Amino acid sequence: ETGVTQTPRHLVMGMTNKKSLKCEQHLGHNAMYWYKQSAKKPLELMFVYNFKEQTENNSVPSRFSPECPNSSHLFLHLHTLQPEDSALYLCASSQVKGNEQYFGPGTRLTVT
Amino acid sequence: GDSVTQMEGPVTLSEEAFLTINCTYTATGYPSLFWYVQYPGEGLQLLLKATKADDKGSNKGFEATYRKETTSFHLEKGSVQVSDSAVYFCALRGAGSYQLTFGKGTKLSVIP
């Protein structure tokens, strides 16, 4: 595997479910990011981790819970989501915080 | 705060036509500017970048010049191909910042 991978690529979940999105980067980077891409809206930065420490939480609701166990892996835990949370969730990484970001293919999430 | 405005799409062109996608920005200081491309079903890929005024970024036949006086970073290509069909995002990173601010994206469709 090379670059940034995300699993699953597609996810359908009910509002009472709990699920997790996974991101893995094979680039030796130290910073990782979660973005939300909704239709007809700019990409929204959700969370930033630098050397496994969360450095940014852009007023994201607590039903989204990130986890970064090491510099190569990033998770987004989901619980009691709303239909308006349906979107493409993109993971990105960079060498250090602020350098060029490399994106994964995203997870298409549908909340029913 | 920082913001990016890019032309509304969708844009439909015939193969070998000239492409311009306008992008203007608002930021303090001297931001770095980027164009990302998102092909169907994929994540964002860095297309080109410029880090200071009058820099020209180029890649795969695409070019964009950092114009401080007009706060613009327009994307151009002399002869588009069907394979260029994608969504193009203009983005900036403020001086001393790690956060990328994206435009809403412009969908380009190239027809044979």
Side-chain angles (χ1 to χ4, degrees), chain B residues 17-99:
Chain B
F18 185 85
L19 169 71
T20 299
I21 299 178
N22 290 337
C23 172
T24 57
Y25 67 90
T26 301
T28 55
Y30 294 88
S32 295
L33 302 174
F34 305 84
W35 276 101
Y36 280 84
V37 58
Q38 186 176 31
Y39 298 103
E42 299 184 14
L44 276 68
Q45 300 175 26
L46 179 64
L47 181 59
L48 53 85
K49 68 175 182 178
T51 58
K52 60 183 187 293
D54 299 324
D55 265 3
K56 177 185 284 188
S58 61
N59 185 26
K60 299 181 181 180
F62 291 89
E63 292 183 341
T65 301
Y66 188 141
R67 301 288 188 198
K68 181 69 175 175
E69 63 277 12
T70 55
T71 62
S72 65
F73 193 54
H74 304 322
L75 182 69
E76 297 182 335
K77 186 175 185 181
S79 175
V80 293
Q81 305 299 312
V82 172
S83 56
D84 294 325
S85 298
V87 180
Y88 292 82
F89 294 89
C90 185
L92 71 82
R93 188 179 69 234
S97 171
Y98 59 86
Q99 187 163 333

Side-chain angles (χ1 to χ4, degrees), chain A residues 1 8 11 25 30-31 33 36 50 58 64 67 98 101 110:
Chain A
E1 292 274 18
L11 178 62
Q25 57 92 3
N30 294 306
Y33 312 76
K36 177 182 179 182
N50 196 41
N58 276 358
F64 295 91
E67 178 190 1
Q101 294 179 22
T110 303

Side-chain angles (χ1 to χ4, degrees), chain A residues 41-52:
Chain A
K41 291 177 67 176
L43 266 73
E44 301 172 67
L45 179 65
M46 300 174 71
F47 301 104
V48 181
Y49 278 82
N50 196 41
F51 290 95
K52 301 187 297 179

Side-chain angles (χ1 to χ4, degrees), chain A residues 73-112:
Chain A
H73 294 85
L74 184 64
F75 295 89
L76 189 61
H77 304 299
L78 316 171
H79 63 98
T80 59
L81 294 191
Q82 304 299 312
E84 60 265 28
D85 296 322
S86 298
L88 181 68
Y89 289 85
L90 292 165
C91 174
S93 70
S94 64
Q95 181 62 40
V96 294
K97 197 172 68 171
N99 279 16
E100 295 170 20
Q101 294 179 22
Y102 293 79
F103 285 79
T107 294
R108 174 69 63 186
L109 174 67
T110 303
V111 181
T112 61

